[in-house]
Amino acid sequence: MDQKEVVYVVSDSVGETAELVVKAVATQFNGGHVEIRRSSYVEDFEDIEDVILLAKDSRCIIAYTIVVPSLKEYLDQRAAEERIYAVDLLNPLMNAFTTKFNKTPHHQPRMMRKLDEEYFRKIEAIEFAVKYDDGRDPRGITKADIVLIGVSRTSKTPLSMYLAHKRFKVANVPLVPEVPPPDELFEIPRRNCIGLIISPDKLNEIRKERLKALGLGSKASYASFERILDELEHAEKIMKRVGCPIIDVSNKAVEETAGLILEILKKERSF
C-alpha cells in the first residue's frame, strides 16, 4: 500500500497563505489528493522540533511561511539533517522585492492579519458613517468616536466619510431651528463632539449652487440670508450648550478640516 502523501504547512501566523498555495499546486497532481496538516503560530525552536518529529517518518514535504530569520534558518537546518524536503514559500519573492525595489522586509509575523484587521475596521467605520449620517438615528451619537454637528452644507457628510476611511466611527447631526437637537448630544463627553460653522456669505453661495443643481430657484428660503443667519445663530447656541470645540469650515477643504479635527481630538484624548 502506498504511503500517504502529506504536506506539513508551517507558519508563524495562521498559515492560510501557505495552505492555499499548497492546494493550488496539489490540484496539478492526481486531482489534488494530498493530506495537509497545518501547524500555525510557530514561535520558537520547540514548535519546529514538534513538526520535524512528525515529518521525519512520513513521506512528506514541509511548506512554510516563516519570516523570522532565526526560525527559518533553524527549520532549514533541521529539515536538511533529517532529510526532509522543506520549501520556503515566501523567501524567493521577498528577495526579489529587496533586490528590485530596494526595500528591506520587516521580518515580523502576522503582518497580513494586521492588515486584514485594519481593512475590516475601515469597512465597519464606513458602514457606521452611512448608517448614522444626517441624524438618521440618534443612537449612533453615543456609539461614535466623533460626532459632527452643524447646519446644512457644512461638509458633515464628506467629513464623516473621510474620517471613516481613517477608521473612525463618525455620526453627524444637522442643527435646524425647527427640530430640537437629540438628547444624546448632551449626554456624550464634550471631547467626542466637533461643531462646524461657516460664514453666511459662503453658505449662501453654496446653498444657491445646491438649489441650482436641484433645478430649484435660488430665491428659496433655504438660501436666503435671513434663514441662514437664523440657522447659524441657533447652531452656535447648541454648540455652546454642548461645550464642544468649533471649526470654521468657510474656506477649507475636507482634508484640511479633517486634519484640524484630528489635531483637536489628539489634545483631548489618545487614539
Side-chain angles (χ1 to χ4, degrees):
M1 185 185 231
D2 290 340
Q3 192 175 5
K4 190 180 293 184
E5 295 171 341
V6 179
V7 177
Y8 287 90
V9 168
V10 182
S11 177
D12 47 20
S13 186
V14 178
E16 291 174 342
T17 301
E19 185 167 341
L20 285 172
V21 172
V22 170
K23 285 180 177 178
V25 172
T27 57
Q28 301 299 316
F29 300 89
N30 301 321
H33 298 305
V34 63
E35 181 178 342
I36 297 175
R37 299 175 185 174
R38 193 196 294 186
S39 182
S40 305
Y41 302 114
V42 169
E43 296 180 338
D44 52 40
F45 298 154
E46 288 184 8
D47 292 334
I48 290 173
E49 281 298 331
D50 290 341
V51 176
I52 294 295
L53 184 63
L54 293 169
K56 69 179 183 179
D57 295 324
S58 305
R59 184 187 178 195
C60 71
I61 295 170
I62 294 177
Y64 68 88
T65 52
I66 292 178
V67 296
V68 178
S70 59
L71 293 178
K72 169 190 159 37
E73 290 168 10
Y74 187 78
L75 175 53
D76 286 339
Q77 176 191 329
R78 290 292 293 117
E81 289 172 354
E82 299 293 344
R83 298 184 179 180
I84 300 168
Y85 206 109
V87 182
D88 184 344
L89 300 178
L90 293 183
N91 206 52
L93 189 55
M94 287 177 69
N95 287 339
F97 267 64
T98 301
T99 303
K100 196 67 179 177
F101 301 145
N102 195 28
K103 292 185 176 181
T104 304
H106 295 294
H107 295 299
Q108 293 179 11
R110 306 176 198 174
M111 293 292 285
M112 192 69 180
R113 180 51 58 101
K114 290 177 184 176
L115 287 174
D116 287 344
E117 288 172 359
E118 292 292 299
Y119 172 77
F120 286 117
R121 278 181 60 194
K122 181 166 75 172
I123 295 301
E124 185 181 4
I126 292 170
E127 290 175 346
F128 186 95
V130 171
K131 183 176 181 179
Y132 297 110
D133 181 45
D134 207 31
R136 288 178 192 164
D137 186 346
R139 291 175 297 181
I141 294 172
T142 57
K143 302 174 185 176
D145 297 318
I146 305 168
V147 179
L148 304 177
I149 59 175
V151 301
S152 173
R153 315 314 295 176
T154 48
S155 300
K156 295 186 300 299
T157 297
L159 280 167
S160 295
M161 296 307 297
Y162 184 91
L163 292 166
H165 277 83
K166 293 186 175 295
R167 299 177 299 282
F168 294 103
K169 292 181 179 179
V170 185
N172 72 76
V173 180
L175 300 179
V176 185
E178 294 79 13
V179 181
D183 293 337
E184 289 86 351
L185 201 56
F186 307 102
E187 296 170 1
I188 61 173
R190 60 173 296 281
R191 66 176 184 270
N192 287 16
C193 188
I194 297 287
L196 305 175
I197 61 171
I198 189 170
S199 72
D201 289 332
K202 187 66 177 178
L203 186 55
N204 176 254
E205 178 187 328
I206 292 171
R207 288 190 174 183
K208 280 183 177 179
E209 288 299 317
R210 177 60 176 164
L211 289 172
K212 190 186 296 184
L214 294 172
L216 302 172
S218 61
K219 293 184 179 179
S221 63
Y222 177 71
S224 74
F225 253 96
E226 184 179 355
R227 173 65 185 183
I228 286 172
L229 291 173
D230 285 345
E231 286 189 34
L232 290 173
E233 183 181 358
H234 170 75
E236 288 190 32
K237 285 180 181 177
I238 298 299
M239 292 173 195
K240 286 178 181 177
R241 185 179 164 193
V242 174
C244 61
I246 297 173
I247 297 175
D248 187 338
V249 301
S250 300
N251 295 298
K252 293 182 177 64
V254 168
E255 296 84 355
E256 184 181 359
T257 305
L260 290 172
I261 289 170
L262 295 179
E263 281 181 22
I264 290 170
L265 294 176
K266 194 173 182 180
K267 291 176 183 177
E268 299 283 345
R269 50 184 170 163
S270 176
F271 277 116

